[in-house]
């Protein structure tokens, strides 16, 4: 039996007619950039996130970058970031001209550890970027309290957490601003690249909107040095279709995760830990396996596709070689990166596929 990591074609088959209709609507409108589809999606996604404003942008990295620019964070500033995250979180800080300051994760949740943040704060600190990694919200209340004490901004990197809840509140409105990615593999994914900035501050939203479109306050009149980082009409129209399915698809992911947790509870791998104050959306189901390469190859031979999120911690990436971090500087992150493996999960994964995955894992730990 073949089990793909994620079946995007199945999701698109479910809404095939609606996607075709959305494409025709845009094609026939004659408006392809900054038009009514984007405006409608921005309103709908802001409401979904229980926030006041959404600004559609070109991708998740640009969303983070524009947030930092709109906060006037740049050269000589420092931004606290998780040591364990996708490198885009760090790149956004570097693009803004600031310095990323890594903080180790909680080894249970893999999210940034609030207890370690204060020791990383310096007079140059301007903001904390909090990543809701794998679809599970970070512990926002203590992080917001620390930020308030030191006068820091809080930025949510919610690229993997569309619809996730923290103490009953949706991610996206838990800090000063939030960045979302609509990369096709996300829980809410476009049919190409896309992203958004979500905030409750109307003036901040306006500034991000100027920045995404050359800094134009009116056409050809740039009030600030901006960028070309817009979410186009076709992708906005597609996202409007898929947003209506998001909660249903997230519920299916949750059922798969519950099945994994039940079937694998007595295995030899380390399973995800979910605090009582979060409702994750299971963008990824990540386990830790000491014999990862052997284990991954065993699953591959069984027809099961798995991925590693992420094999190289940002501080050891060649992109940051000039920062002089070395192996051993962030041991918790490095240990996680050596052992994590993401199992197949998605809104159209069948019960038979889940059975095959769990049976194969059981066989590995009992037969190998």
């Amino acid at each position: 039996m073949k089990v793909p990591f994620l079946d995007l074609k199945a999701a698109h088959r479910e809404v095939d007619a609606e996607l075709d209709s959305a494409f025709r609507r845009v094609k026939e409108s004659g408006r392809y950039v900054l038009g009514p589809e984007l405006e409608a999606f921005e309103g709908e996604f802001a409401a979904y996130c229980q926030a006041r404003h959404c600004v559609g942008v070109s991708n998740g990295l640009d969303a983070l970058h524009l947030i930092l620019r709109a906060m006037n964070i740049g050269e000589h500033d420092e931004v606290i970031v998780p040591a364990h995250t996708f490198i885009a979180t760090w790149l956004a800080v570097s693009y803004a001209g600031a310095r990323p300051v890594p903080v180790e994760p909680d080894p249970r949740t893999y999210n940034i550890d609030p207890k370690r943040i204060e020791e990383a704060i310096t007079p140059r600190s301007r903001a904390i970027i909090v990543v809701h990694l794998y679809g599970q919200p970070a512990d926002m209340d203590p992080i917001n309290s620390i930020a308030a004490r030191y006068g820091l901004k809080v930025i949510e990197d919610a690229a993997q957490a569309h619809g996730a809840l923290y103490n009953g509140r949706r991610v996206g409105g838990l800090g000063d601003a939030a960045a979302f990615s609509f990369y096709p593999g996300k829980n809410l994914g476009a049919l190409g690249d896309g992203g958004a900035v979500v905030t409750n501050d109307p003036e901040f939203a306006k500034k991000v909107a100027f920045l995404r479109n050359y800094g134009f306050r009116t056409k050809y009149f740039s009030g600030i040095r901006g960028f070309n980082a817009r979410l186009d009409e076709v992708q906005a129209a597609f996202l409007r279709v898929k947003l209506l399915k998001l909660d249903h698809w997230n519920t299916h992911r949750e059922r798969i995760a519950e099945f994994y947790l039940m079937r694998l509870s007595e295995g030899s791998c380390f399973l995800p830990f979910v605090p009582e104050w979060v409702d994750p959306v299971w963008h990824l189901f990540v386990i830790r396996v000491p014999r990862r390469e052997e284990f991954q190859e065993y699953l591959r031979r069984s027809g099961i596709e798995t991925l590693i999120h992420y094999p190289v911690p940002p501080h050891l990436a060649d992109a940051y070689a000039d920062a002089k971090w070395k192996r051993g500087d962030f041991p918790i992150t490095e240990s996680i990166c050596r052992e994590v493996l993401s199992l197949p999960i998605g809104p159209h994964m069948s019960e038979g596929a889940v059975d095959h995955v769990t049976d194969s894992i059981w066989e590995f730990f009992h037969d190998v």
Side-chain angles (χ1 to χ4, degrees), residues 38-113:
L38 176 59
E39 184 177 350
F41 172 71
E42 288 172 335
E44 291 159 3
F45 192 64
Y48 179 82
C49 294
Q50 301 169 349
R52 294 177 62 190
H53 303 281
C54 168
V55 182
V57 299
S58 45
N59 55 65
L61 172 54
D62 283 344
L64 283 170
H65 178 216
L66 294 181
I67 288 171
L68 292 163
R69 292 283 187 174
M71 291 176 174
N72 298 316
I73 292 173
E75 191 176 0
H76 305 306
D77 293 331
E78 294 179 350
V79 178
I80 291 170
V81 295
H84 178 52
T85 184
F86 182 51
I87 198 169
T89 310
W90 289 38
L91 291 175
V93 177
S94 300
Y95 290 169
R99 175 176 175 265
V101 177
V103 170
E104 288 268 57
D106 180 326
R108 300 176 306 163
T109 66
Y110 311 139
N111 279 321
I112 192 168
D113 189 343

Side-chain angles (χ1 to χ4, degrees), residues 209-223:
F210 295 147
L211 283 167
R212 74 174 172 187
N213 190 38
Y214 304 107
F216 288 168
R217 295 188 185 274
T218 57
K219 194 169 184 180
Y220 301 127
F221 291 87
S222 296

Side-chain angles (χ1 to χ4, degrees), residues 2-280:
K2 298 291 185 183
V3 181
F5 183 75
L6 176 65
D7 187 355
L8 289 177
K9 291 182 180 180
H12 297 148
R13 281 194 297 268
E14 182 178 341
V15 291
D16 187 59
E18 293 94 330
L19 292 174
D20 284 350
S21 176
F23 177 76
R24 287 194 302 272
R25 194 168 64 240
V26 174
K27 183 181 69 172
E28 294 165 6
S29 74
R31 294 287 302 278
Y32 307 119
V33 177
L34 298 181
E37 294 292 340
L38 176 59
E39 184 177 350
F41 172 71
E42 288 172 335
E44 291 159 3
F45 192 64
Y48 179 82
C49 294
Q50 301 169 349
R52 294 177 62 190
H53 303 281
C54 168
V55 182
V57 299
S58 45
N59 55 65
L61 172 54
D62 283 344
L64 283 170
H65 178 216
L66 294 181
I67 288 171
L68 292 163
R69 292 283 187 174
M71 291 176 174
N72 298 316
I73 292 173
E75 191 176 0
H76 305 306
D77 293 331
E78 294 179 350
V79 178
I80 291 170
V81 295
H84 178 52
T85 184
F86 182 51
I87 198 169
T89 310
W90 289 38
L91 291 175
V93 177
S94 300
Y95 290 169
R99 175 176 175 265
V101 177
V103 170
E104 288 268 57
D106 180 326
R108 300 176 306 163
T109 66
Y110 311 139
N111 279 321
I112 192 168
D113 189 343
K115 299 183 182 68
R116 298 173 180 268
I117 290 176
E118 269 189 282
E119 63 193 43
I121 295 173
T122 75
R124 290 186 174 183
S125 300
R126 293 287 309 282
I128 305 168
I129 296 182
V130 179
V131 179
H132 304 309
L133 197 65
Y134 307 150
Q136 177 163 294
D139 194 358
M140 293 300 297
D141 286 347
I143 293 170
N144 280 324
S145 294
I146 293 168
R149 280 203 303 277
Y150 289 91
L152 306 180
K153 297 292 188 181
V154 175
I155 302 165
E156 297 176 79
D157 182 340
Q160 302 181 4
H162 313 73
L165 297 173
Y166 174 81
N167 282 329
R169 294 173 291 157
R170 283 251 169 91
V171 303
L174 304 177
D176 292 286
F180 286 87
S181 166
F182 303 125
Y183 182 77
K186 305 299 186 185
N187 291 39
L188 178 62
L191 275 73
D193 267 320
V197 173
V198 173
T199 182
N200 286 311
D201 184 337
E203 292 305 312
F204 186 81
K206 285 180 185 177
K207 190 170 183 181
V208 172
F210 295 147
L211 283 167
R212 74 174 172 187
N213 190 38
Y214 304 107
F216 288 168
R217 295 188 185 274
T218 57
K219 194 169 184 180
Y220 301 127
F221 291 87
S222 296
I224 51 179
R225 296 178 183 178
F227 305 86
N228 180 1
R230 303 168 301 212
L231 178 64
D232 69 65
E233 285 286 281
V234 170
Q235 298 303 340
F238 289 157
L239 288 165
R240 293 183 69 197
V241 170
K242 298 177 80 174
L243 180 58
L244 296 174
K245 291 286 187 178
L246 180 56
D247 285 342
H248 172 67
W249 288 346
N250 281 345
T251 298
H252 189 80
R253 287 176 177 270
E254 182 180 4
R255 284 199 294 267
I256 294 169
E258 289 173 350
F259 198 79
Y260 276 151
L261 290 168
M262 178 181 65
R263 289 287 303 273
L264 301 176
S265 60
E266 300 193 10
S268 299
C269 55
F270 297 94
L271 298 174
F273 170 78
V274 182
E276 61 182 13
W277 32 262
V278 300
D279 293 294

Side-chain angles (χ1 to χ4, degrees), residues 298-365:
Y298 185 89
L299 294 184
R300 188 194 66 77
R301 291 198 304 270
S302 299
I304 299 165
E305 183 183 16
T306 59
L307 296 176
I308 299 171
H309 298 90
Y310 300 97
V312 181
H315 72 279
L316 296 180
D318 289 344
Y320 286 97
D322 60 341
K324 308 300 182 184
W325 284 301
K326 61 185 184 301
R327 195 169 299 280
D329 283 346
F330 299 96
I332 298 174
T333 294
E334 292 169 30
S335 174
I336 290 170
C337 289
R338 283 194 299 270
E339 296 181 348
V340 288
L341 189 73
S342 300
L343 300 181
I345 193 168
H348 296 83
M349 189 175 179
S350 69
E351 186 175 329
V354 179
D355 283 339
H356 182 54
V357 173
T358 55
D359 287 347
S360 298
I361 292 173
W362 190 92
E363 289 165 4
F364 174 85
F365 286 114

